[in-house]
Amino acid sequence: MTTHPNPGLRVFSKLLCAATLFLIFAGAMVNSTGSGLAVPDWPTSYGNWFFVPMVGGVFYEHGHRLIAEAVGLMTVVLAIWIKLKDTRKWLHVLGFVAVAAVIIQGVLGGLTVLYYLPTPISVMHGVLAQSFLILTVVIAYDLSKERNDRLDANGLDSTCSKLIKPAVIFGLLIYLQLILGAIMRHSGAGLAIYDFPTMAGTWWPTLNEGMLFTINDWRFENNLDPVNMTQVTLHLIHRIGAAVILVYLIFLNINAFKNGKLTPRLKNTVLLIDLLVAIQIILGIMTVLTGKHPHVTSTHVACGALTLSLSAILVLRAMPARLSDMKK
């Protein structure tokens, strides 16, 4: 039995995905511009709910809050709309899980302000944002015309079972890399290694006092606070993670394109992931070389989220439309 989702509901679910991605970019701009405490109170902003002077860091912080409120409202509307128009109980559950997630996300955002940007809460706030985006992507795909057409295929659904496991592993690698990025960003390690392709002037990092002295000498000359070896190590691990993802992506491409049954849709998804990873690596390099320019850094964060979303879509497209059709 197939369902034919309301066209308006289908479009609205995709708009929520786009709004969430924009919210992640806006949140990254708050961090990149150092505006996290530009509005010192929560849940209000200088005692107001909506209208405050949008100047300086307030523009980024209060603007982020307004976008978050819009995403929260859209999530509630989507959950109710699914409940009213779709018969699938599990999709009802996903809709209200999304509502719970966006509420928790809002509370975490408030706690980052009230407790003066503690790293653990800030990291959880960033990671949950990525997780919520994936949840909206899954919901949107399950409401999509594409999935409905696959359900109507009566056994002729186009899948690629050999691609499922590599795609899942790739998605997990991206997710872990984004977690590492969040830890690095919120612990002040974004420029703990200030150069590229060298690292503190060397091709192979020594991770000793000499390297730390070179880094902090550069940071002193550029009016930046000193870093410790933990921050340097976090930054290095993030770079290594990017290399691991690139190597695994090559494996994913080989696995995908040697399969003669690969559909044009799956092929295009893999190629788009290739493009996004290439752009993401360039943005990561430019983040270092520009000294963490806010727009470059925030676009790097958003591109990572978009890559994660597309990796989820790749998994969904490789899997059968019905989970019951999965080979045991």
Side-chain angles (χ1 to χ4, degrees), residues 4-288:
H4 295 272
N6 183 290
L9 176 56
R10 238 180 4 237
V11 171
F12 189 79
S13 67
K14 293 176 182 177
L15 287 176
L16 177 58
C17 293
T20 303
L21 184 62
F22 181 62
L23 177 59
I24 288 173
F25 174 79
M29 282 296 293
V30 171
N31 178 267
S32 299
T33 58
S35 304
L37 294 177
V39 179
D41 56 330
W42 184 85
T44 57
S45 297
Y46 292 102
N48 296 295
W49 288 100
F50 298 107
F51 303 107
V52 298
M54 301 289 276
V55 294
V58 177
F59 172 81
Y60 297 106
E61 171 61 13
H62 185 63
H64 175 60
R65 294 187 186 189
L66 292 178
I67 298 167
E69 289 169 7
V71 168
L73 179 60
M74 290 176 70
T75 306
V76 172
V77 171
L78 180 68
I80 295 173
W81 201 343
I82 290 173
K83 177 70 174 176
L84 295 175
K85 294 295 184 179
D86 199 288
T87 60
R88 292 169 288 183
K89 301 297 183 183
W90 61 268
L91 197 56
H92 297 174
V93 173
L94 274 187
F96 287 104
V97 167
V99 172
V102 83
I103 291 172
I104 295 171
Q105 179 71 345
V107 172
L108 286 174
L111 292 176
T112 62
V113 173
L114 298 180
Y115 289 94
Y116 306 104
L117 309 179
T119 298
I121 296 177
S122 297
V123 170
M124 285 190 290
H125 183 59
V127 172
L128 183 55
Q130 305 283 351
S131 305
F132 176 75
L133 176 62
I134 293 304
L135 186 56
T136 65
V137 167
V138 171
I139 291 172
Y141 186 80
D142 285 314
L143 291 169
S144 68
K145 185 177 184 299
E146 175 188 325
R147 185 175 186 275
N148 195 75
D149 290 344
R150 292 177 64 193
L151 289 170
D152 282 338
N154 295 323
L156 299 176
D157 178 26
S158 57
T159 63
C160 186
S161 59
K162 292 183 178 179
L163 192 58
I164 297 173
K165 185 177 178 181
V168 169
I169 293 174
F170 178 77
L172 288 174
L173 287 174
I174 294 291
Y175 189 68
L176 288 173
Q177 179 73 343
L178 293 179
I179 293 174
L180 281 171
I183 294 172
M184 183 182 72
R185 189 165 61 253
H186 292 291
S187 61
L191 283 179
I193 300 177
Y194 59 85
D195 52 341
F196 184 91
T198 55
M199 288 165 277
T202 64
W203 290 98
W204 186 258
T206 54
L207 294 180
N208 57 20
E209 290 301 319
M211 180 181 182
L212 189 60
F213 177 82
T214 300
I215 290 170
N216 282 328
D217 185 55
W218 177 90
R219 293 180 67 88
F220 177 79
E221 291 178 358
N222 288 273
N223 297 315
L224 296 173
D225 293 333
V227 293
N228 56 42
M229 191 58 73
T230 299
Q231 291 167 298
V232 173
T233 303
L234 280 173
H235 186 107
L236 178 60
I237 292 173
H238 189 63
R239 290 196 186 191
I240 293 172
V244 170
I245 286 171
L246 182 59
V247 170
Y248 193 84
L249 182 59
I250 294 171
F251 168 78
L252 178 65
N253 275 263
I254 294 172
N255 187 285
F257 289 104
K258 75 177 182 181
N259 191 315
K261 297 181 180 179
L262 195 68
T263 64
R265 181 173 282 138
L266 280 170
K267 181 186 295 185
N268 291 336
T269 305
V270 173
L271 291 174
L272 187 53
I273 288 174
D274 293 342
L275 176 62
L276 285 176
V277 169
I279 293 172
Q280 181 70 344
I281 290 173
I282 292 171
L283 287 169
I285 294 169
M286 293 305 298
T287 296
V288 172

Side-chain angles (χ1 to χ4, degrees), residues 284-306:
I285 294 169
M286 293 305 298
T287 296
V288 172
L289 296 182
T290 62
K292 289 183 60 182
H293 187 284
H295 291 97
V296 175
T297 305
S298 301
T299 304
H300 181 57
V301 174
C303 186
L306 186 57

